[in-house]
Amino acid sequence: MGTHSHHHDYNFSEQFTFTGRAKVLSLIALGVGIVAIAIGLLSSDHIMVERTYANLLLMGYYFTCVCAAGGFFVALQYVTQSGWSSGMIRIPQAMASVLPIASLILLVITATGLFSHNLYHHWYAEGLTDPNSPNYDELVAGKAAFLNAPGFLIRQVVFMGAYSICSWLLAKYSYNEDLDGGLNSYKKSFKLSALFLVIFGFTTPIWSFDTVMSLEAHWFSTMFGWYNFAALWVSGLCVITLILILLMKSGYMPWVNENHLHDLGKLIFGFSIFWTYVWFSQFMLIWYANIPEETVYFYKRWEPEYKPWFWLNVVVNFVVPILALMDRDAKRKMNILMAVCIVLLLGHWLDYYIMVMPGTVEMHRGFGWIEVGVALGFTGLFSFLVLSKLSKHPLAPAKHPFLQESLHHQI
């Protein structure tokens, strides 16, 4: 691939300037979201308020998951000592840096939803655990040792706090490395990443049990945590790839080429299949065993208002990436990869929608201004925070020990 001198024309101190259209659009989207949420929460219609909370939970969780996936991506690169990704590592790092803000927002949503009885009222309501109450629910009472307000909130704070601290530190070490050089930051990052992956791996299932599965407190699935992790990881990879392609189209990061896109395409392709595998395992076993306390979950999702969306979810998140990314060339072409990322991000919104809505608004499902508004608001907030963070540091980790490997990456 030519001699080393061939690479001296890259400007590694290049910084992204976050101005103009991108900034204006993200702020407009954020404004639209704030207005939609305000109208929804101040509505005199109780169902509308509940629907607003359901959408807030959906997007707050999605936002936090994508930022956490950024932290997970960075940690994974350190632990596997991967070189190929070092040229674009600034993107997942920026996402990881935003995780503390995303976590705070989600914490506020879950706590206010819990205490206002708009979310989690299947297990947090008057008299559910009191044997003398007419509302007594034996199943919920049996789970009360786990499903109680203090335990729920403590777990939310501890888990999201741990993810946030680790993600923020990983980003900080890498920015320090630019200033100091040497291997000190790299070694610290390696140790922290190993710790983070263990914490993340063991606690994300419990986190998703609390945040999403407990919306329908009678039902449980041991697959649910991995199902949520697969969705988190695929959507995180899509966001990383999408930001990277948009930066490359704007003339940034010339040191990233189709080989790097190919690798990201392979990850998206592979983990879309993994997502489908977990989705299918959960669905097929419950359908086949036909045990009433398990089938209740899918029974709700097979009501006429959810069933077409239920199947569309599988088509969008499995069939589309399989057909579009099967070919080697497709993974190396910016426009195809970009289109697949956008479709998958919409597809995983639908995936979360089908997880959240039947346990909150149930029969009063809708798709209208509130869904679009809340989604736009969070997208605007995410874009604004991540791109602002990205613009504060050079786009290449110039003193990363494996940067040369990334520049010469070829598959």
Side-chain angles (χ1 to χ4, degrees):
M1 275 300 285
T3 54
H4 180 63
S5 61
H6 171 68
H7 289 292
H8 279 311
D9 47 2
Y10 292 136
N11 170 18
F12 290 133
S13 59
E14 169 188 65
Q15 280 182 247
F16 168 66
T17 45
F18 183 35
T19 49
R21 204 171 54 164
K23 198 167 212 169
V24 171
L25 283 175
S26 55
L27 287 171
I28 290 173
L30 177 57
V32 168
I34 292 170
V35 171
I37 292 163
I39 296 173
L41 290 179
L42 299 170
S43 166
S44 53
D45 178 9
H46 172 65
I47 292 164
M48 193 68 224
V49 175
E50 193 173 36
R51 196 168 136 191
T52 310
Y53 266 103
N55 276 293
L56 279 170
L57 177 68
L58 190 167
M59 281 311 296
Y61 183 61
Y62 200 166
F63 177 25
T64 312
C65 282
V66 166
C67 293
F72 182 79
F73 186 95
V74 174
L76 198 61
Q77 305 310 310
Y78 279 117
V79 168
T80 54
Q81 298 194 333
S82 299
W84 70 274
S85 56
S86 55
M88 41 146 282
I89 203 74
R90 284 289 188 246
I91 297 170
Q93 264 168 13
M95 288 156 62
S97 306
V98 175
L99 183 59
I101 301 173
S103 301
L104 271 174
I105 293 173
L106 182 57
L107 185 66
V108 169
I109 294 168
T110 51
T112 49
L114 181 73
F115 294 125
S116 66
H117 298 293
N118 283 303
L119 298 169
Y120 309 112
H121 44 71
H122 285 234
W123 59 266
Y124 183 72
E126 207 60 48
L128 284 179
T129 54
D130 174 11
N132 306 318
S133 160
N135 291 342
Y136 180 63
D137 186 323
E138 199 179 336
L139 277 172
V140 172
K143 299 180 184 190
F146 184 81
L147 279 184
N148 55 72
F152 174 86
L153 292 170
I154 289 167
R155 284 192 301 274
Q156 289 279 358
V157 170
V158 170
F159 292 165
M160 292 199 289
Y163 307 158
S164 295
I165 291 165
C166 291
S167 294
W168 187 79
L169 279 173
L170 279 175
K172 183 169 171 277
Y173 288 159
S174 177
Y175 300 136
N176 286 351
E177 179 182 67
D178 272 6
L179 306 171
D180 309 335
L183 281 175
N184 194 14
S185 293
Y186 188 83
K187 287 174 176 162
K188 279 203 285 198
S189 301
F190 184 91
K191 285 177 187 151
L192 179 64
S193 296
L195 177 71
F196 173 54
L197 290 182
V198 172
I199 295 171
F200 196 74
F202 281 108
T203 58
T204 38
I206 306 168
W207 179 54
S208 66
F209 291 164
D210 277 338
T211 316
V212 180
M213 196 168 84
S214 77
L215 289 168
E216 291 162 79
H218 285 181
W219 181 80
F220 67 92
S221 154
T222 47
M223 298 290 286
F224 197 82
W226 302 119
Y227 168 47
N228 271 256
F229 171 75
L232 168 154
W233 186 224
V234 171
S235 39
L237 287 168
C238 286
V239 172
I240 293 168
T241 310
L242 193 56
I243 296 175
L244 178 64
I245 290 173
L246 292 172
L247 283 173
M248 288 166 75
K249 279 180 176 285
S250 308
Y252 294 102
M253 300 178 101
W255 53 85
V256 175
N257 57 43
E258 67 273 16
N259 294 296
H260 302 88
L261 292 178
H262 189 163
D263 271 342
L264 286 164
K266 283 193 288 195
L267 284 167
I268 292 167
F269 177 75
F271 280 99
S272 289
I273 298 173
F274 175 72
W275 174 88
T276 314
Y277 156 70
V278 185
W279 183 93
F280 180 75
S281 305
Q282 178 173 284
F283 172 71
M284 202 274 302
L285 289 170
I286 289 174
W287 174 78
Y288 186 75
N290 211 5
I291 301 167
E293 55 265 38
E294 290 182 350
T295 49
V296 57
Y297 184 81
F298 289 110
Y299 193 80
K300 268 186 184 174
R301 283 152 183 80
W302 278 37
E303 293 290 347
E305 59 264 34
Y306 288 109
K307 199 163 185 183
W309 301 103
F310 176 81
W311 291 117
L312 182 66
N313 181 21
V314 189
V315 171
V316 171
N317 291 320
F318 174 58
V319 180
V320 170
I322 280 280
L323 297 179
L325 294 181
M326 183 78 81
D327 189 36
R328 179 177 193 264
D329 283 353
K331 301 195 249 312
R332 300 171 79 89
K333 290 201 177 89
M334 262 191 214
N335 290 345
I336 295 179
L337 202 51
M338 182 167 81
V340 171
C341 286
I342 293 169
V343 169
L344 279 176
L345 287 168
L346 294 171
H348 282 287
W349 179 87
L350 181 63
D351 187 24
Y352 288 131
Y353 181 87
I354 289 164
M355 283 185 220
V356 169
M357 293 301 169
T360 48
V361 294
E362 297 184 7
M363 299 301 114
H364 307 294
R365 156 196 106 67
F367 181 75
W369 60 269
I370 186 74
E371 279 73 21
V372 175
V374 175
L376 274 176
F378 274 93
T379 310
L381 179 64
F382 175 82
S383 309
F384 183 76
L385 292 173
V386 171
L387 295 176
S388 298
K389 185 70 190 166
L390 203 56
S391 67
K392 294 204 168 59
H393 301 276
L395 284 171
K399 296 184 179 166
H400 192 293
F402 294 158
L403 187 60
Q404 282 300 322
E405 193 178 328
S406 186
L407 302 180
H408 295 86
H409 183 53
Q410 194 182 5
I411 45 174

